[in-house]
Amino acid sequence: MDTSIVYLNGEWLPLSNARISVLDRGFILGDGVYEVIPVYAAEDGRQRRPFRLEQHLARFARSLAKIQLANPFEASSWRILVDEIISANSAENTGHCLVYIQVTRGVAPRAQAFPENVSPTVFMMTMPLNLPDETALEQGVAAVTAPDARWLHCDIKSISLLGNVLMAQYAAEHQASETIQLRDGYLTEGASSNVWIAKEGRLFAPIRNHLILEGIRYALIEELAREAKLIFEARPIKEEELRAADEIMLTSAGREMIAVTRLDGYPVGSGRPGAVFSALHAGYQRAKERE
Ligand code: PDD
């Protein structure tokens, strides 16, 4: 039984006691948005701090606005709730964790258009943050490709994740860590990650638009690339360029940055994590310490 403490509509309670109505629009219609924030524990395991919280809360506000759902809290109140959920779960688990936040349009008789006078359902929980292990960092991971069959609002961090779920399952069935999606011959993103390529020492990523979720790591990697004096360009990336890349990298809250060293069964570049990955991964670790 999971005894971690969660937040549900103003109450703090053990996860196993948290209940919502089957008429919640999140359950019935997937009508809601979410955020996943990494929280790092200090060396002694005691102090735990969210990483890039402001940026996560700002993206959450954008997702809510894009689905026309009023933000139930100001950023300052969200910050307090995030701190509270971290402390509420500190005795239980003193390692790194992820804070998960979800807001749905609330409980109402099933109908697709927005109900009137309904309060949103607000839910928060913590989850373990299992960073990539030494082997994954040293050897990289395998990825497969598949057509991007999702809708055209991938910039919204929607809880309607069926397209992503099917892609993650496709990776699992192909002994791969991620499915890299392609739309009309161009790279979009992973099932739950942004994708970066390096060619001749330069870094490239797809443009931030409605076809990808702008990861909180997107701007971070841009900063780290500048710091490492790498030339970075955001532009459409053709499938052929993906396949001919010297390096492919994934970023997400849970994976930080990881190298893809096999794509559809073929080695990527030298088949080992490359210099661009090493520079950015090291920069990421420094950014965590700084913040
Ligand atoms: N997913 N693209 C998609 C489709 C994602 O689901 C994610 C992250 C990202 C990377 O975003 P960020 O750098 O902010 O984590 C890109 C989270 C971790 C999840 O759904 O669990």
Side-chain angles (χ1 to χ4, degrees):
M1 198 173 69
D2 194 316
T3 56
S4 66
I5 301 298
V6 304
Y7 173 92
L8 181 61
N9 296 330
E11 280 190 88
W12 296 94
L13 67 178
L15 178 62
S16 48
N17 293 354
R19 297 277 180 277
I20 57 155
S21 162
V22 290
L23 285 179
D24 191 280
R25 290 176 62 94
F27 178 63
I28 291 278
L29 300 164
D31 183 5
V33 292
Y34 75 107
E35 259 311 317
V36 181
I37 306 152
V39 176
Y40 293 109
E43 290 277 292
D44 63 7
R46 265 184 272 151
Q47 251 222 324
R48 297 159 95 209
R49 298 178 72 164
F51 183 66
R52 302 248 148 169
L53 179 59
E54 292 308 310
Q55 291 87 335
H56 278 280
L57 293 177
R59 181 176 64 184
F60 195 44
R62 291 197 297 276
S63 290
L64 285 162
K66 284 173 183 174
I67 70 161
Q68 300 170 55
L69 183 48
N71 196 333
F73 299 114
E74 302 276 328
S76 54
S77 306
W78 280 120
R79 278 198 298 274
I80 294 169
L81 287 174
V82 168
D83 282 343
E84 282 181 349
I85 200 159
I86 296 169
S87 350
N89 290 287
S90 283
E92 191 66 27
N93 167 11
T94 46
H96 308 316
C97 70
L98 296 167
V99 168
Y100 178 90
I101 308 179
Q102 174 172 320
V103 174
T104 75
R105 211 176 302 274
V107 179
R110 187 185 179 282
Q112 293 185 351
F114 302 167
E116 277 171 26
N117 305 320
V118 164
S119 354
T121 300
V122 181
F123 174 62
M124 293 173 71
M125 65 176 170
T126 57
M127 307 186 293
L129 168 53
N130 301 313
L131 294 173
D133 60 20
E134 283 302 309
T135 316
L137 288 176
E138 279 164 21
Q139 299 181 4
V141 297
V144 284
T145 59
D148 192 335
R150 299 173 302 164
W151 69 336
L152 297 173
H153 294 292
C154 299
D155 53 320
I156 302 173
K157 204 160 170 61
S158 161
I159 60 166
S160 305
L161 283 171
L162 196 48
N164 308 61
V165 164
L166 295 176
M167 288 297 99
Q169 179 59 18
Y170 182 78
E173 284 168 6
H174 291 81
Q175 289 72 51
S177 292
E178 182 61 300
T179 300
I180 294 179
Q181 302 172 93
L182 296 154
R183 198 188 282 270
D184 302 327
Y186 286 89
L187 168 65
T188 55
E189 62 180 343
S192 62
S193 59
N194 288 120
V195 182
W196 306 78
I197 69 167
K199 188 74 183 175
E200 287 153 9
R202 291 172 175 227
L203 181 68
F204 302 92
I207 294 163
R208 284 170 270 212
N209 58 19
H210 61 291
L211 299 179
I212 66 168
L213 179 78
E214 180 182 344
I216 298 309
R217 269 124 289 281
Y218 196 116
L220 172 65
I221 298 300
E222 280 184 301
E223 285 169 38
L224 299 178
R226 267 196 300 278
E227 209 175 279
K229 306 226 164 5
L230 288 169
I231 296 174
F232 168 65
E233 200 186 332
R235 64 159 172 77
I237 296 169
K238 290 201 180 91
E239 174 170 358
E240 301 85 80
E241 293 178 278
L242 172 72
R243 297 197 187 280
D246 298 332
E247 299 180 46
I248 300 176
M249 289 146 280
L250 307 175
T251 55
S252 72
R255 277 178 269 224
E256 297 186 342
M257 176 176 255
I258 189 84
V260 172
T261 46
R262 289 191 81 75
L263 186 67
D264 292 333
Y266 295 99
V268 175
S270 68
R272 309 279 308 165
V276 172
F277 167 75
S278 300
L280 294 173
H281 186 268
Y284 199 122
Q285 304 315 307
R286 285 195 301 273
K288 275 157 56 177
E289 277 158 34
R290 270 203 303 270
E291 289 182 29

